[in-house]
Amino acid sequence: MQWFRACSFVPRICHVLIFVNLLFGYVVLGQETSALPDAPSVNQTQSGPSNPAPRNPQHEPSKNHIFWIIPNYRSDENPADIKPLTPREKMKVALDDSFDPSAFLVAGIFAGLSRVQNQYPSFGTGGLGFAKYYGGAFADQAVGNIMTEGLFPIALHQDPRYFVKGTGGFWKRTEYAISREVITRGDDGRNHFNTSELAGNAVAAGISNLYYPAADRSFGNTANKWGQQIALDTFFNVAKEFWPDVRQKLFKHSAPENETSVDPAGQRAK
């Protein structure tokens, strides 16, 4: 029974992913799209009007937060000059994603979802029970980030960033975003199997058994937690890919004049 109760969370994530895909599809399909070349190419973007309307930067959404809430420090929207990150820079990405103020809110949301499902009965109910759920959710988040964005990329010489494709049709870009779960860019500039993401989350799921109640520790719960994180990271990849389009569509946020864009297919990865 614990296995089926734990697994019930995965379809919910998949339903959210499908809904958000359709939402982003509406935004992207409303814009003009162009065919992708087979090989990486650099295209000069069209210059905007000579006298663009002034914008108030205080009201523009940050590229570091998707919908103002989801931390987005590992997303790179300006790939004109890609340089490998140093170990210190990789760890900084992991810590920024883990301890950004909005990360505390995100942990609360996932703690609430787990509490509603009574995913860990040993935590109990009431305020104390929710505090335990919250502590577990925040630890899952932080440990996962440190493993997949910091320690594993440093050890394996892989790049933890998600490089926005930015060109092509909706489904082509969605396919690219999903593929970044298994393909990543190495420090050598080549595509690598994304061991940092898959193995890093597996290790994080195993570590979680140290702070979850012994009664709720099982192979099923650990495997389900790994699967949840992979599903969530896939969802966040799609969100990272289309967040620049949403910003531009909803807030008329245009790219700086003379900014270049690079097709990441075949040479860039997460």
Side-chain angles (χ1 to χ4, degrees), residues 37-180:
D38 294 332
S41 61
V42 179
N43 300 314
Q44 193 74 17
T45 59
Q46 295 293 332
S47 299
S50 56
N51 293 314
R55 302 192 309 267
N56 186 349
Q58 294 181 347
H59 297 291
E60 291 181 5
S62 169
K63 68 177 182 179
N64 291 330
H65 297 89
I66 299 173
F67 290 117
W68 299 277
I69 297 175
I70 304 173
N72 188 33
Y73 289 92
R74 67 192 298 187
S75 181
D76 191 333
E77 300 177 12
N78 184 24
D81 184 21
I82 303 175
K83 296 180 180 178
L85 298 178
T86 65
R88 183 187 183 118
E89 289 171 333
K90 292 177 182 179
M91 189 57 68
K92 184 178 187 302
V93 169
L95 295 177
D96 284 343
D97 265 346
S98 299
F99 298 103
D100 181 89
S102 62
F104 292 87
L105 175 60
V106 173
I109 293 173
F110 285 111
L113 291 173
S114 296
R115 174 63 189 88
V116 168
Q117 296 181 90
N118 196 28
Q119 193 170 5
Y120 299 100
S122 300
F123 277 161
T125 59
L128 180 59
F130 180 78
K132 293 178 180 178
Y133 273 101
Y134 182 88
F138 188 85
D140 289 345
Q141 191 171 266
V143 173
N145 288 339
I146 290 172
M147 288 294 168
T148 62
E149 302 174 22
L151 297 181
F152 270 77
I154 291 172
L156 300 176
H157 303 287
Q158 295 183 337
D159 199 315
R161 292 172 291 183
Y162 176 86
F163 295 101
V164 176
K165 187 177 184 65
T167 59
F170 169 70
W171 294 114
K172 189 75 172 180
R173 294 173 64 184
T174 300
E175 178 185 1
Y176 164 80
I178 294 173
S179 73
R180 296 309 97 183

Side-chain angles (χ1 to χ4, degrees), residues 205-216:
I207 291 175
S208 70
N209 286 320
L210 297 176
Y211 50 83
Y212 277 97
D216 297 319

Side-chain angles (χ1 to χ4, degrees), residues 164-235:
V164 176
K165 187 177 184 65
T167 59
F170 169 70
W171 294 114
K172 189 75 172 180
R173 294 173 64 184
T174 300
E175 178 185 1
Y176 164 80
I178 294 173
S179 73
R180 296 309 97 183
E181 279 301 295
V182 294
I183 302 173
T184 190
R185 179 185 172 88
D187 290 343
D188 59 4
R190 299 178 179 179
N191 284 337
H192 290 200
F193 180 75
N194 200 351
T195 307
S196 295
E197 174 70 18
L198 300 177
N201 276 317
V203 170
I207 291 175
S208 70
N209 286 320
L210 297 176
Y211 50 83
Y212 277 97
D216 297 319
R217 297 173 192 167
S218 67
F219 175 79
N221 275 345
T222 302
N224 180 68
K225 188 172 294 183
W226 177 80
Q228 287 179 21
Q229 193 57 54
I230 297 301
L232 285 170
D233 286 348
T234 302
F235 159 73

